[in-house]
Amino acid sequence: MAEINKVQRHGELCMIIEKLNNEYYVLNNSSVSDYEYDRLMAELKEIEEEFPLLVSPDSPTQKVGGQASALFQKVQHAVQMGSLQDVFSTEELYEFDKRVKKLVDSPEYVVEPKVDGLSVSLLYQNGKFVRGATRGDGFVGEDITQNLREIPTVHKILKSENIPVIEVRGEVFMSHESFKKLTEHQIENNEQPAKNPRNAAAGTLRQKDSSIVKSRGLDIFVFNIQQLEGHKVNSHIESLEFMKKLGFKVIDGYKHCKNIEEVIEVIEHIGKTRADFPFDIDGAVVKVNAFSQQEELGATSKFPKWAAAFKYPPEEKTTKLLKIEVNVGRTGSLTPLAVFEPVLLSGSVVSRATLHNQDRISQLDIRPGDVITVRKAGDIIPEVVNVISHAENSTPFLLPTSCPACETRAVRCEDEAVTRCPNINCPAQLLRSIEHFASRSAMNIEGLGEAIVELLVSNALVKTVADLYRLTKEELLGLANFKDKSTENLLTAIENSKQRPLEKVIYALGIRGIGERNATLLAEKFGTIDAIMNAELEDLTKIEKFGGILAVNVFNAMREPHMVSLIGELKELGLSMSYTKKQTSNVFEGLKFVITGTLPTLSREKAKELIIENGGSCASAVSKKTSYLLAGEAAGSNLKKANDLKIPVLTEEEFLRRVAGVAN
């Protein structure tokens, strides 16, 4: 039984790590800290060491995590850009030293701070910068030469032109100061701020517009020579000094160590001072110094045997929990927030951390007045690690049973850990519900963006989505920046939205878990909003492809007083509450489509409408059941998966020809 469980865990870990690799290397938006990722990878390696038959070429342990993006030309690396073996303790460092000494005598090492950024290669010919590329999967990367030229510390010409060829490897990063400026600018312009400097740097380097790169203050440290002609260096320490002479920027703080004890001392020093660095570091790199010994040691398919990356655990501090606040999010989620005495963590003062949900609160058994341990996950997001001691006479903390903002009874779905307020008109989530209601996929009220919604709500003109249909020209003209033309345009868009079909109205109501496809299923099954409101739970569960949890969500929503009242108002205001099936042909009957990338002329919404009108259906991700992938510019991982599964890929032109009934 234990063996079966480990085999199952191996499969789970492979899927989790592949997903995280895609987030980190392709989407530049990791959902976990590097430390958590490395622990998952270490667990996978342990299982594969115990069960070698589980190792395959597709295992995450056998390949570098990334892949070349479709946005840029591909580059075949002359020398593989591998990753490093991770170690987490002094015991593992001693083990690394022991393995090295089995193959070479008296090794010396070099230790360097490990910058948290995006790994790139820079190729110079006769002293001139000719090409730069990302690591990708280690063998094939992306040509990002033009973007790298916009980084001031990527020199276009070296101090010596007598080097026929040199290719170096470095890490592009964003300093704390540049990251702060970027996020401030993004917030000012109502953009989603970057999560951390590493994501910001990686995302910037993949911009199509190189002027954006120039404005964001990226920097680089060079740390390896990949290939070299016209000069010879014999050790890593010598290569670092040589690169500095050529003008490359090399990180300060590297040390030449005679033995593993000195290595450990340097690593501990870097760990103690890491908060003083003006940029993020996620560890320290240890390399055998002599190149001749590096050659003797060799490499695995993924790691050089002569190097290791020591990963520091997140810094932790103790403090006192003052209170637990409960905030209502824009989607109605009741989110508990720990408010504690301020502590200095990873270079900044923090005093708050999310507790996520009731399950997390119960797991920690956290109570106001407790002494707690806190840290920054991934050195960015504050989190509570554990409770050291409870306050005297304290009792377990429970989330309120009613919404703190509107007092509607809170609900928790069986498939979720989150407790929510179901009231679409709750003041705490009003802005978000109006934005969703007016969105293109819902009521398609053009011109009703976030800024206008905030203006309407702050001036008390809109308290529910129904109030949108009661707005007058006089009221709008009384607001800042509203002129005759903009007022008429908005009122016309609101009036036109009354003609949106029933399935769009259902989707606009924001019922938990009811997306566009499920809204259409409800409309097709029952025909009118009244029939849906009167449907019994058993009737809802009989809808094909409609799960029991969704049925419960709809059943409860249609009996929630605020929802009943809102639907009644929308009916009186003239919105469409009956379903009219619109199908122009059955050319896509039984076919399932996935849409990816940016299409030349069609919006995704319009492409979906055409598919459904012609008898087809849409899904968000490619699977073996996908009939066609409709792909536009900058197609992502869905395109690769479709090619792997040999699923036909259509361009917009080919798609429209099929809609018109022309097969070829």
Side-chain angles (χ1 to χ4, degrees):
M1 183 62 71
E3 290 186 1
I4 293 174
N5 289 339
K6 287 193 176 181
V7 171
Q8 290 174 339
R9 179 58 176 163
H10 179 272
E12 291 173 1
L13 287 168
C14 286
M15 292 178 63
I16 293 168
I17 292 171
E18 287 291 355
K19 175 180 177 290
L20 296 176
N21 281 339
N22 186 62
E23 289 178 354
Y24 186 88
Y25 293 105
V26 180
L27 304 179
N28 311 313
N29 190 24
S30 181
S31 59
V32 301
S33 70
D34 287 351
Y35 191 75
E36 290 172 272
Y37 174 89
D38 294 335
R39 284 297 188 187
L40 290 171
M41 184 65 84
E43 183 184 351
L44 183 63
K45 289 176 189 172
E46 286 180 9
I47 294 175
E48 291 187 351
E49 286 174 5
E50 186 176 351
F51 302 97
L53 290 177
L54 293 176
V55 180
S56 73
D58 293 330
S59 172
T61 63
Q62 304 302 304
K63 56 186 179 179
V64 177
Q67 62 182 24
S69 165
L71 292 176
F72 301 94
Q73 292 293 317
K74 294 180 180 179
V75 172
Q76 186 82 34
H77 295 305
V79 178
Q80 181 188 359
M81 293 178 70
S83 54
L84 295 177
Q85 175 186 4
D86 294 326
V87 296
F88 301 92
S89 65
T90 54
E91 289 77 16
E92 288 181 272
L93 285 170
Y94 279 118
E95 285 295 321
F96 167 70
D97 180 57
K98 190 183 296 183
R99 290 194 299 271
V100 169
K101 286 178 177 176
K102 282 183 180 179
L103 298 175
V104 299
D105 295 327
S106 304
E108 295 182 358
Y109 299 100
V110 178
V111 181
E112 310 160 51
K114 185 177 183 297
V115 182
D116 191 14
L118 184 75
S119 193
V120 301
S121 66
L122 309 175
L123 177 64
Y124 290 76
Q125 294 176 347
N126 298 316
K128 294 181 180 178
F129 176 49
V130 296
R131 190 184 69 202
T134 63
R135 180 172 69 173
D137 65 0
F139 299 96
V140 178
E142 309 151 313
D143 188 332
I144 53 169
T145 306
Q146 195 56 46
N147 284 349
L148 286 168
R149 287 183 184 277
E150 300 298 340
I151 301 175
T153 42
V154 174
H155 298 298
K156 316 308 177 286
I157 299 176
L158 300 180
K159 289 183 178 179
S160 172
E161 297 180 9
N162 297 323
I163 307 297
V165 174
I166 182 171
E167 183 179 20
V168 298
R169 181 171 173 177
E171 198 83 0
V172 173
F173 65 95
M174 185 176 285
S175 69
H176 295 155
E177 182 180 354
S178 295
F179 178 68
K180 182 181 177 184
K181 289 179 180 177
L182 171 63
T183 52
E184 286 175 349
H185 174 78
Q186 289 172 326
I187 292 169
E188 286 174 5
N189 288 275
N190 295 318
E191 299 172 11
Q192 182 68 32
K195 283 186 177 180
N196 56 54
R198 190 270 166 197
N199 288 356
T204 299
L205 274 185
R206 289 190 170 104
Q207 293 288 328
K208 285 188 173 182
D209 184 355
S210 59
S211 65
I212 295 176
V213 182
K214 188 175 183 178
S215 69
R216 290 192 176 176
L218 294 184
D219 207 338
I220 188 172
F221 285 124
V222 172
F223 55 81
N224 262 6
I225 294 177
Q226 297 293 93
Q227 54 176 326
L228 176 63
E229 296 178 13
H231 189 84
K232 185 172 178 63
V233 288
N234 298 307
S235 68
H236 185 62
I237 200 78
E238 190 179 327
S239 73
L240 292 172
E241 296 299 325
F242 178 64
M243 288 190 288
K244 284 201 290 188
K245 287 180 182 178
L246 292 178
F248 291 111
K249 186 173 180 179
V250 176
I251 195 168
D252 292 329
Y254 61 84
K255 297 291 183 182
H256 183 188
C257 302
K258 299 293 184 183
N259 51 53
I260 196 66
E261 286 75 23
E262 289 185 13
V263 166
I264 291 169
E265 285 181 17
V266 174
I267 287 175
E268 288 176 348
H269 174 73
I270 294 173
K272 289 175 183 176
T273 60
R274 59 191 292 216
D276 299 331
F277 284 81
F279 45 81
D280 282 351
I281 65 167
D282 59 352
V285 178
V286 185
K287 298 173 184 173
V288 171
N289 184 42
F291 285 167
S292 59
Q293 291 184 333
Q294 288 186 9
E295 290 178 13
E296 284 185 66
L297 288 161
T300 67
S301 62
K302 186 173 180 180
F303 304 119
K305 294 180 181 179
W306 42 265
F310 182 89
K311 294 300 186 77
Y312 298 108
E315 181 186 15
E316 297 182 353
K317 293 281 182 70
T318 58
T319 185
K320 182 180 179 180
L321 179 67
L322 301 176
K323 61 180 178 177
I324 298 176
E325 292 181 351
V326 180
N327 298 322
V328 184
R330 284 190 162 188
T331 58
S333 58
L334 272 58
T335 304
L337 189 71
V339 181
F340 44 83
E341 292 180 348
V343 290
L344 182 65
L345 272 177
S346 301
S348 64
V349 175
V350 296
S351 59
R352 292 168 175 255
T354 180
L355 292 171
H356 302 289
N357 50 55
Q358 183 63 58
D359 288 350
R360 181 60 176 159
I361 290 173
S362 299
Q363 180 186 28
L364 291 168
D365 191 16
I366 188 169
R367 312 171 186 185
D370 287 355
V371 177
I372 59 175
T373 303
V374 296
R375 70 182 178 195
K376 281 187 179 179
D379 290 337
I380 299 296
I381 304 168
E383 67 174 358
V384 178
V385 181
N386 55 33
V387 172
I388 296 175
S389 62
H390 290 310
E392 189 175 354
N393 298 323
S394 64
T395 57
F397 182 88
L398 297 173
L399 287 176
T401 56
S402 298
C403 172
C406 69
E407 298 185 352
T408 299
R409 183 173 178 79
V411 297
R412 176 175 170 176
C413 299
E414 290 181 14
D415 64 332
E416 287 191 318
V418 179
T419 301
R420 296 182 184 276
C421 169
N423 178 12
I424 191 174
N425 294 319
C426 171
Q429 51 180 318
L430 180 59
L431 291 174
R432 178 68 184 90
S433 64
I434 295 174
E435 289 166 19
H436 170 75
F437 186 88
S439 66
R440 183 179 296 179
S441 299
M443 302 308 291
N444 194 25
I445 304 176
E446 191 172 343
L448 196 59
E450 184 177 347
I452 299 300
V453 171
E454 288 184 1
L455 191 63
L456 294 173
V457 172
S458 63
N459 282 273
L461 294 180
V462 174
K463 296 177 182 177
T464 76
V465 293
D467 289 336
L468 293 171
Y469 297 94
R470 301 186 179 100
L471 289 171
T472 66
K473 184 174 182 179
E474 291 72 27
E475 287 174 331
L476 293 177
L477 287 174
L479 301 176
N481 300 322
F482 265 91
K483 307 297 180 185
D484 279 342
K485 187 64 176 175
S486 58
T487 298
E488 289 174 8
N489 288 343
L490 179 57
L491 290 174
T492 298
I494 292 172
E495 185 64 26
N496 289 342
S497 75
K498 292 180 180 180
Q499 306 307 314
R500 295 286 278 175
L502 175 61
E503 61 268 28
K504 299 299 182 181
V505 177
I506 295 169
Y507 174 63
L509 292 174
I511 301 168
R512 189 68 190 160
I514 302 301
E516 295 174 71
R517 181 57 185 157
N518 289 327
T520 301
L521 290 174
L522 281 168
E524 289 176 345
K525 173 69 176 177
F526 294 101
T528 67
I529 195 70
D530 287 338
I532 297 172
M533 295 176 75
N534 293 324
E536 296 297 331
L537 184 58
E538 184 180 357
D539 299 326
L540 292 164
T541 58
K542 289 178 180 178
I543 301 175
E544 187 179 358
K545 300 177 183 178
F546 208 77
I549 293 171
L550 290 180
V552 171
N553 288 353
V554 174
F555 183 80
N556 290 339
M558 291 302 173
R559 282 152 183 77
E560 204 283 315
H562 292 90
M563 181 68 78
V564 173
S565 174
L566 174 63
I567 291 173
E569 289 183 77
L570 294 177
K571 286 169 65 177
E572 291 179 5
L573 289 163
L575 274 69
S576 176
M577 294 296 175
S578 296
Y579 177 66
T580 303
K581 186 171 183 179
K582 182 182 179 183
Q583 182 167 332
T584 56
S585 80
N586 62 353
V587 68
F588 295 146
E589 189 72 39
L591 300 178
K592 181 177 287 188
F593 284 76
V594 172
I595 306 170
T596 188
T598 304
L599 300 173
T601 63
L602 295 175
S603 66
R604 286 200 181 192
E605 170 69 12
K606 183 59 180 176
K608 283 181 183 178
E609 286 182 7
L610 287 172
I611 290 166
I612 293 168
E613 286 172 11
N614 288 277
S617 62
C618 292
S620 59
V622 169
S623 70
K624 290 180 180 179
K625 295 182 179 180
T626 304
S627 307
Y628 289 100
L629 178 71
L630 175 56
E633 186 181 356
S637 57
N638 273 324
L639 178 58
K640 181 181 183 302
K641 190 168 183 181
N643 289 331
D644 291 343
L645 295 174
K646 295 182 170 50
I647 290 167
V649 179
L650 299 178
T651 64
E652 183 189 281
E653 182 181 357
E654 292 168 335
F655 170 73
L656 291 175
R657 286 171 64 84
R658 289 172 184 266
V659 171
V662 183
N664 297 305

